[in-house]
Amino acid sequence: MKFTPEHEALRQTWKTLIDREINPHVDEWEQAGAFPAHELFKKMGDAGLLGVDKPVEYGGSGLDFSYAMICSESLGLVNGGSIPMATGVQISMATPALARYGSDELRREFLAPSISGDYVACLGVSETGAGSDVASIRTTARRVGGDWVIDGGKMWTTNGAQADWMCVLANTGDGQVHKNKSLIVVPMKTPGVQIVKKLDKLGMRASDTVQTFFDGVKVPVRYTIGEPGSGFIYQMQQFQEERLWAGAGTLMGCDRIINATIEYTRERKVFGKPLLDNQVIHFRLAELKSEVEALRSLVYRACEEYLAGTDVTMLASMAKLKAGRLRREVSDACLQYWGGAGYLWDNPVARSYRDGRLGSIGGGADEVMLQIISKLMGTLPRLGNR
């Protein structure tokens, strides 16, 4: 993939903002269990970072998706996964369908302030009984006059405690499960929206994640994104961008952990010589770096094909699968070389170990990625064909 001076300038803008506005505060936010989303997103919005691939008429830069990939990759410089994940929801998870299919009125009302950083967005897809199996969601929206009345609930909602609006996937009909769903914008202050509880997670401690209930929540039908009944298709398209984002976001994060481990093992002496001089260590780090570069090639290829208009469901699923597993592998291997220091809670490798575990679960579990890949390979068994 060929990068332009504009791509490199975007990288530098992110690095400057991360060095000044994020990394000095990450430890504090981790302890607090949240970060000031409105304040930080506003700084990102002012720097033109939240809408690089969104339409110019709504405050975006009108660039292609490769610039969003630069955003994701650059966020790997953050000393933890919470802020990159929350920012990813804002840029490439809650807003792509709105930007692509929303009415002009809806985009002015919700997309423009999300790009400027005045609004925080969240995505409502997963439920307590429907995570990776999106087709089985139970939240419903029934039409009453000119309104949708929404009942149900969503789980694992990143940014939920601070969000201004949620992109909600709900059943709006009784037909086939892939054709009876719609994406609906739901302002979080609408009567009947209840934040039930903030979830206490293993990792991603600085990112607020909540469970939400909808009890007779009434929103105008004009808040529907695109065509009613097309929500499942729109969400699958959003997943392509989300999974490419996950792949790109793993690259620099793994590089950061590998580089930190090189520095530590070079300085740490055992039996009179640097730990790094042990072949088992520098060979293992060389293997891990090679795996990161292999993932980079896959992600860049998938992005190029996506820009060319190709359906990259298989490549995006492969990138997501590989990214989740590689982040776990890198964190686990590097933590071992830090010894007891790596087992301390605030150690950057320990944080990566905790945060990175989500990569094989969130946005579609590894097993779902394997199922998608197998289906596209033509090797997935068909029901009744046993």
Side-chain angles (χ1 to χ4, degrees):
M1 199 168 161
K2 297 179 68 174
F3 293 113
T4 65
E6 288 76 17
H7 286 102
E8 299 309 321
L10 180 60
R11 289 186 195 273
Q12 186 56 52
T13 301
W14 271 112
K15 184 179 186 307
T16 300
L17 185 139
I18 290 167
D19 289 344
R20 292 178 181 175
E21 306 292 348
I22 299 179
N23 278 342
H25 308 290
V26 167
D27 290 345
E28 172 191 347
W29 295 338
E30 285 281 312
Q31 290 184 354
F35 75 99
H38 284 91
E39 177 185 335
L40 183 57
F41 283 3
K42 184 57 179 171
K43 291 175 180 177
M44 292 179 182
D46 289 345
L49 296 174
L50 294 179
V52 292
D53 62 336
K54 300 300 189 296
V56 174
E57 54 267 41
Y58 304 105
S61 301
L63 301 170
D64 63 46
F65 186 69
S66 66
Y67 289 86
M69 291 289 87
I70 295 297
C71 294
S72 178
E73 191 172 350
S74 298
L75 280 160
L77 294 170
V78 177
N79 293 329
S82 300
I83 310 306
M85 179 176 70
T87 308
V89 170
Q90 187 85 357
I91 296 176
S92 286
M93 299 177 201
T95 54
L98 176 59
R100 190 174 287 121
Y101 300 109
S103 66
D104 291 342
E105 182 182 15
L106 202 58
R107 288 186 286 184
R108 282 194 298 270
E109 193 170 347
F110 293 99
L111 180 63
S114 299
I115 290 171
S116 68
D118 292 302
Y119 276 7
V120 173
C122 63
L123 179 64
V125 174
S126 294
E127 301 178 3
T128 53
S132 296
D133 182 9
V134 176
S136 66
I137 64 164
R138 300 178 67 86
T139 296
T140 61
R142 55 189 173 87
R143 185 162 181 169
V144 179
D147 295 321
W148 291 118
V149 178
I150 305 172
D151 292 287
K154 296 297 177 179
M155 192 66 165
W156 322 114
T157 306
T158 299
N159 297 344
Q162 301 183 71
D164 296 282
W165 66 278
M166 180 187 291
C167 177
V168 175
L169 185 67
N171 295 309
T172 52
D174 298 323
Q176 299 177 23
V177 293
H178 299 133
K179 298 180 179 180
N180 70 339
K181 296 171 173 55
S182 302
L183 284 176
I184 304 169
V185 171
V186 177
M188 295 298 281
K189 291 184 179 179
T190 306
V193 177
Q194 306 170 40
I195 303 298
V196 182
K197 63 179 177 179
K198 182 178 175 182
L199 304 175
D200 191 13
K201 309 185 300 293
L202 170 68
M204 304 293 191
R205 303 291 296 177
S207 171
D208 61 276
T209 307
V210 302
Q211 182 178 12
T212 309
F213 282 169
F214 305 116
D215 183 10
V217 175
K218 185 182 294 185
V219 298
V221 170
R222 68 179 180 85
Y223 279 12
T224 309
I225 296 174
E227 293 294 324
S230 297
F232 185 87
I233 296 171
Y234 296 162
Q235 186 54 47
M236 292 304 104
Q237 291 175 332
Q238 285 193 145
F239 275 150
Q240 287 197 46
E241 295 194 5
E242 177 178 343
R243 288 162 184 170
L244 289 175
W245 176 281
T250 300
L251 301 173
M252 204 166 287
C254 285
D255 281 340
R256 179 172 53 83
I257 295 305
I258 291 170
N259 292 337
T261 302
I262 290 171
E263 291 179 15
Y264 179 78
T265 55
R266 180 174 280 135
E267 295 298 323
R268 179 81 165 90
K269 290 183 171 56
V270 175
F271 303 120
K273 67 176 183 179
L275 272 175
L276 187 60
D277 287 358
N278 289 282
Q279 187 182 78
V280 68
I281 294 179
H282 57 252
F283 272 20
R284 181 64 175 133
L285 293 174
E287 289 176 340
L288 294 173
K289 180 64 175 175
S290 299
E291 291 295 320
V292 173
E293 292 307 312
L295 175 61
R296 181 173 278 110
S297 295
L298 173 59
V299 169
Y300 287 178
R301 176 192 164 196
C303 184
E304 285 183 329
E305 295 200 16
Y306 186 64
L307 294 176
T310 303
D311 185 330
V312 295
T313 300
M314 177 181 277
L315 291 179
S317 300
M318 289 175 171
K320 166 71 168 59
L321 173 70
K322 183 66 177 177
R325 292 183 170 183
L326 184 58
R327 183 61 173 268
R328 292 160 61 189
E329 184 181 7
V330 167
S331 299
D332 183 63
C334 288
L335 191 152
Q336 183 70 22
Y337 301 141
W338 285 70
Y343 200 63
L344 298 177
W345 184 262
D346 289 332
N347 182 282
V349 183
R351 183 176 294 162
S352 177
Y353 184 86
R354 298 190 303 272
D355 290 352
R357 189 60 184 85
L358 181 62
S360 287
I361 301 171
D366 282 2
E367 292 75 18
V368 174
M369 297 302 100
L370 289 166
Q371 186 178 46
I372 292 170
I373 295 165
S374 297
K375 181 178 180 180
L376 294 173
M377 289 174 63
T379 60
L380 188 69
R382 297 183 180 182
L383 292 176
N385 200 24
R386 299 182 180 178

